[in-house]
Amino acid sequence: MNWMYSILASKQILLLLLLVNIFGTIYGYIWYGNQLTETPDIFLAFVPDSPTASLFFVFVLFAFVLKTNWGLMEALAIITLFKYGIWAVVMNILTLITTGWLPWEGYMLIASHLGMAVQGVLYAPFYRIKLWHLIVAAIWTIHNEMIDYVFKMMPRYGDLMQYMDAIGYFTFWLSLFSIFVGWYFGYRKDRLALRI
């Protein structure tokens, strides 16, 4: 197992992941482009969920390259990468089940979002999250839920909009589970802890 973490901590891998996440973040914001043009300014920070999650991880990786830790970014990254990674995978599979068809972009989104969830947890031994970081990230996550499902700012999946109440309920519990994942892998005292 140590050999895997020594590879993950290598500067070449960190720089490669940094580039992948930068491009993925840019693509994500472009994907949200139409919705963002119609979004009231007050909600703009909360609408592009997945690209904002990967942006948090860009800051985490940048800090790792500098051989330091930004705990708040780490807490935000692990919780949101896991949450939106799993969420997008589930929504695309539900789209396939509901419509019987998924464009190639849907399969690409399944693979890339699964990668988001995995990378957030995979790098957890290197995180230095404090309790206040976890609390702020948890508040951000639950607040984002309210913006999405109370003010109807959630990502648009055309054929799934008829199930929004059920999706909102699922997403609330996914948020709580993601906060638990952040605590379990990134904060608890007896977790695996390594240095970059």
Side-chain angles (χ1 to χ4, degrees):
M1 194 65 132
N2 284 343
W3 64 268
M4 182 182 74
Y5 284 112
S6 65
I7 291 170
L8 290 175
S10 70
K11 192 165 188 177
Q12 295 85 353
I13 295 297
L14 291 173
L15 288 171
L16 177 63
L17 266 180
L18 182 60
L19 283 174
V20 167
N21 278 275
I22 287 171
F23 286 117
T25 300
I26 292 167
Y27 174 82
Y29 283 116
I30 291 169
W31 188 88
Y32 274 93
N34 289 337
Q35 187 172 351
L36 288 173
T37 60
E38 302 166 9
T39 300
D41 291 348
I42 194 169
F43 298 132
L44 281 175
F46 301 100
V47 168
D49 299 324
S50 294
T52 301
S54 61
L55 179 63
F56 292 144
F57 197 59
V58 164
F59 288 116
V60 169
L61 292 169
F62 184 70
F64 286 170
V65 169
L66 298 177
K67 295 198 176 296
T68 190
N69 289 87
W70 294 338
L72 180 57
M73 289 295 117
E74 292 165 358
L76 286 163
I78 189 171
I79 292 171
T80 60
L81 283 173
F82 186 84
K83 174 186 170 182
Y84 297 117
I86 298 302
W87 189 91
V89 169
V90 170
M91 291 308 112
N92 279 283
I93 290 172
L94 284 178
T95 299
L96 178 59
I97 292 168
T98 303
T99 65
W101 180 80
L102 197 62
W104 72 266
E105 294 93 344
Y107 292 102
M108 181 270 294
L109 288 171
I110 288 173
S112 63
H113 282 77
L114 187 58
M116 281 174 53
V118 169
Q119 73 180 356
V121 173
L122 205 54
Y123 275 88
F126 301 111
Y127 300 159
R128 297 298 176 264
I129 296 172
K130 296 179 180 171
L131 182 59
W132 76 266
H133 299 146
L134 199 63
I135 291 169
V136 170
I139 291 169
W140 170 277
T141 302
I142 298 300
H143 179 256
N144 196 45
E145 220 55 74
M146 300 304 107
I147 300 299
D148 280 356
Y149 294 98
V150 173
F151 294 97
K152 309 296 183 197
M153 295 289 133
M154 75 290 278
R156 295 182 187 147
Y157 275 78
D159 294 299
L160 298 181
M161 296 306 281
Q162 58 186 315
Y163 306 114
M164 265 309 124
D165 289 343
I167 290 171
Y169 184 74
F170 160 75
T171 307
F172 170 75
W173 286 106
L174 178 60
S175 293
L176 293 185
F177 184 67
S178 300
I179 292 165
F180 170 78
V181 166
W183 168 82
Y184 186 85
F185 289 103
Y187 174 74
R188 70 187 172 97
K189 300 305 177 196
D190 55 346
R191 70 188 179 88
L192 176 63
L194 302 169
R195 294 219 164 267
I196 288 287

